Amino acid sequence: MSTPPEQQQHVRVETAQQVEAGSALTALPTSIAESKELTGLTHECGVFGAIACGDWPTQMDIAHVICLGLVALQHRGQESAGIATSEGKSSTNFNVHKGMGMISTLFNDDSMKKLRGNLGIGHTRYSTAGGSGVVNCQPFVVHTAHGAMALAHNGELVNNESLRREVLARGVGLSTHSDSELIAQSLCCAPEDVSELDGPNWPARIRHFMMLAPLSYSLVIMLKDKIYAVRDTYGNRPLCIGKIVPINAGHGNSSETPADGWVVSSESCGFLSIGARYVREVEPGEIVELTRSGYRTVDIVERPDFKRMAFCIFEYVYFARGDSIFEGQMVYSVRMQCGRQLWREAPVEADIVSSVPESGTAASHGYARESGLEFAEVLCRNRYVGRTFIQPSTRLRQLGVAKKFGALSENVDGKRLVLIDDSIVRGNTIGPIIKLLRDAGAREVHIRIASPPLQYPCYMGINIPTREELIANKLNADQLARHVGADSLAYLSVAGLVQAVQLKQQSADVGDGDGKGKGKAMGHCTACLTGEYPGGLPDELSW
């Protein structure tokens, strides 16, 4: 796409060497990539935004609100984090602090004092596209002809390469390989058919980008005095809106309570801790504008009629915190339902049901309630074990699980137990756990997995290993049971997982005959389980 000369803009990108006033970048002495454990899945990031209502300067400490919001999203990424704030009066400079490491180490009293503002956005990251490094920390800040713009992104562009070629062909230089910078640069040029005589039309620019990039992204975009919250048309990545209410507000109907501010977040799990109430999700394809006066929908970009919504089903299984709300239901409740369904599909004679903490706890309670078996803890997690960079010997590597777990031998000795976990990825953790339980006296150990076998990689923002690394592509359930030393092993079926996730929706759809019970249409991406990608095959999307 060519851009007329009168609409071309000089754009400067913030990098590790070129940071605006108030920004600080902190690098760790050792590469984060070296410390990644090769055991499970990794999500790449979480986004958060907040804006104060009423007169500015606000009495609300927006930077602390964002920092606490990011702490609640820390499980979505631990490599780097950042916050950008605006005082709402200057279109040229934002206050920025970002760097490598955990939120608790990056943001101290000094850095927080530099983040004065009436609105801001934040990001916590695990790298997918772009790799691990200070230069890829978010939020990205670009300086356009119309002022500064900050952007934070959760997801991964499926047509990253073709969009990159298009941006480079316009003469725009890119300082990183991050698709998040690519999004920021794509927003800096106005569409050819949009008039901007009265200033930039940001909703039209966002719409234009969304038409170019089908998925996958949830975005928070900050300008001088407003924030845009954007979700791709498939709804692949989560994003929701919350209302900051006065400290003395009761727990009744918050819609009648005046707002002190508004927040937008990848998950709702941190809302209560910052005095906010969950309002609703950002709908697939929706562009929401947040200002000091409130929030409003400024546009909705429709996906093709023949395409279904494709919310990542593994948000329910693995990634999200249990107290988050997606599609009108709490994640913990869905995980319990997965456990109930797992018992129906794979019952077993046993004495007790337990879980690999904390990942399988909710599903194990569901399994226990449906089966009538007693739930008992059998593993005690060491909460202070750190990630190790080098395992000194094969023996210690094989015993690595001992660093993480201890066995409650009084609950285990002589028992036939069912151990529930949420997923198996490479399969190199469950074997040592089984051995630990057998050494503690377990008579039988039956493994039940509250999700289907992972067989395909993800190209939409989840770091799932290659097909060769996924154990489900090498061994079926019976073979894996023998490989890890279990008496039996069974997965939840894909149909069972979908049924558990959509149970509440199916109940709502029954209604009472007048249509009032009808729920919203739901659809879920199961690509990592079935190989059916919502946007088409990888070669069709330049993956």
Side-chain angles (χ1 to χ4, degrees):
M1 180 190 73
S2 61
T3 303
E6 65 270 19
Q7 291 183 350
Q8 290 181 354
Q9 302 178 17
H10 175 69
V11 180
R12 180 168 65 86
V13 182
E14 181 187 44
T15 69
Q17 290 75 33
Q18 299 172 307
V19 292
E20 57 194 314
S23 176
L25 295 172
T26 307
L28 293 180
T30 312
S31 170
I32 295 291
E34 296 175 7
S35 69
K36 294 173 188 171
E37 290 189 20
L38 299 178
T39 55
L41 312 180
T42 45
H43 211 299
E44 94 294 357
C45 52
V47 299
F48 194 90
I51 186 167
C53 291
D55 296 332
W56 292 348
T58 180
Q59 300 302 306
M60 186 186 307
D61 194 331
I62 284 292
H64 274 92
V65 169
I66 298 170
C67 189
L68 288 172
L70 292 180
V71 168
L73 298 177
Q74 185 77 85
H75 59 285
R76 299 183 73 87
Q78 300 91 46
E79 280 195 2
S80 65
I83 294 175
T85 62
S86 169
E87 296 182 38
K89 53 189 179 183
S90 172
S91 61
T92 58
N93 284 305
F94 294 154
N95 302 311
V96 182
H97 183 83
K98 57 185 182 176
M100 304 299 293
M102 303 281 277
I103 294 157
S104 59
T105 60
L106 278 172
F107 297 100
N108 53 33
D109 289 342
D110 290 338
S111 60
M112 297 301 286
K113 288 176 183 177
K114 299 175 183 177
L115 290 171
R116 293 186 304 273
N118 298 302
L119 66 157
I121 64 174
H123 187 270
T124 183
R125 181 173 189 264
Y126 178 92
S127 62
T128 51
S132 176
V134 172
V135 72
N136 290 311
C137 297
Q138 296 186 45
F140 273 109
V141 177
V142 295
H143 298 270
T144 78
H146 302 289
M149 176 184 71
L151 177 141
H153 168 217
N154 169 212
E156 189 170 0
L157 298 183
V158 298
N159 61 338
N160 184 13
E161 291 305 317
S162 61
L163 194 59
R164 180 175 296 275
R165 288 193 296 269
E166 183 176 312
V167 169
L168 292 173
R170 295 202 306 255
V172 175
L174 297 171
S175 59
T176 75
H177 292 286
S178 168
D179 50 0
S180 305
E181 183 198 359
L182 189 59
I183 296 171
Q185 294 288 14
S186 297
L187 294 172
C188 287
C189 288
E192 296 179 11
D193 58 347
V194 173
S195 173
E196 295 193 331
L197 296 177
D198 298 326
N201 186 336
W202 291 108
R205 293 180 180 213
I206 295 169
R207 164 180 269 275
H208 180 66
F209 161 74
M210 295 173 73
M211 299 299 290
L212 294 175
L215 44 76
S216 162
Y217 47 86
S218 285
L219 308 173
V220 287
I221 303 165
M222 182 178 72
L223 303 171
K224 177 183 75 172
D225 57 358
K226 64 185 63 174
I227 293 172
Y228 288 103
V230 183
R231 195 173 175 203
D232 72 52
T233 58
Y234 289 82
N236 185 250
R237 302 259 65 84
L239 197 63
C240 63
I241 300 167
K243 177 181 182 179
I244 302 177
V245 297
I247 296 295
N248 57 0
H251 295 284
N253 186 358
S254 62
S255 63
E256 300 175 359
T257 306
D260 282 347
W262 297 92
V263 293
V264 60
S265 175
S266 293
E267 294 183 40
S268 61
C269 53
F271 283 179
L272 289 178
S273 64
I274 59 172
R277 308 283 173 81
Y278 175 84
V279 175
R280 68 171 178 87
E281 292 183 316
V282 176
E283 296 296 330
E286 186 179 14
I287 305 172
V288 176
E289 181 185 78
L290 295 93
T291 67
R292 69 174 78 184
S293 301
Y295 75 90
R296 66 188 183 101
T297 300
V298 294
D299 204 352
I300 295 179
V301 180
E302 301 289 345
R303 65 182 172 273
D305 291 339
F306 60 91
K307 295 292 187 180
R308 288 171 53 86
M309 180 180 170
F311 179 54
C312 174
I313 205 163
F314 247 72
E315 291 283 355
Y316 286 110
V317 171
Y318 186 94
F319 297 114
R321 228 172 71 172
D323 53 337
S324 290
I325 297 172
F326 295 142
E327 301 174 310
Q329 54 192 347
M330 189 161 283
V331 171
Y332 188 91
S333 298
V334 173
R335 289 174 180 167
M336 279 193 64
Q337 187 59 36
C338 287
R340 291 180 180 274
Q341 182 65 24
L342 185 57
W343 160 257
R344 300 183 194 117
E345 294 184 4
V348 64
E349 290 188 10
D351 301 311
I352 58 174
V353 177
S354 193
S355 68
V356 178
E358 312 289 338
S359 56
T361 300
S364 65
H365 281 294
Y367 194 97
R369 293 185 186 185
E370 191 70 12
S371 65
L373 296 171
E374 176 190 359
F375 173 85
E377 293 184 3
V378 299
L379 293 170
C380 183
R381 176 183 284 275
N382 179 358
R383 302 182 187 278
Y384 301 99
V385 64
R387 295 187 177 191
T388 55
F389 292 91
I390 300 172
Q391 293 284 2
S393 70
T394 301
R395 173 179 168 77
L396 291 180
R397 185 167 59 251
Q398 291 173 342
L399 291 173
V401 70
K403 301 193 310 294
K404 295 182 179 180
F405 298 108
L408 300 174
S409 55
E410 288 187 358
N411 291 350
V412 173
D413 193 20
K415 299 290 181 64
R416 301 170 300 169
L417 68 93
V418 183
L419 190 69
I420 311 290
D421 205 357
D422 57 6
S423 58
I424 290 183
V425 185
R426 291 181 173 90
N428 55 2
T429 299
I430 196 69
I433 289 176
I434 293 170
K435 183 179 185 306
L436 186 71
L437 294 171
R438 291 201 186 279
D439 290 345
R443 183 152 57 100
E444 294 178 11
V445 181
H446 300 272
I447 302 299
R448 294 294 180 267
I449 306 301
S451 65
L454 273 167
Q455 295 181 294
Y456 300 90
C458 176
Y459 302 96
M460 290 164 284
I462 307 300
N463 185 27
I464 291 180
T466 62
R467 292 200 67 182
E468 291 73 23
E469 293 176 278
L470 294 170
I471 194 69
N473 289 320
K474 299 177 181 177
L475 305 173
N476 62 31
D478 291 338
Q479 293 168 334
L480 182 56
R482 291 192 294 271
H483 177 71
V484 299
D487 290 279
S488 71
L489 186 147
Y491 296 94
L492 182 63
S493 66
V494 175
L497 173 60
V498 172
Q499 181 178 339
V501 168
Q502 296 186 353
L503 181 66
K504 186 172 182 179
Q505 174 69 18
Q506 293 161 354
S507 300
D509 282 344
V510 173
D512 54 9
D514 61 1
K516 293 181 180 179
K518 292 284 185 182
K520 299 183 299 184
M522 294 172 69
H524 297 95
C525 177
T526 60
C528 58
L529 311 172
T530 63
E532 299 173 3
Y533 297 96
L537 296 174
D539 57 349
E540 294 174 353
L541 291 172
S542 302
W543 283 338

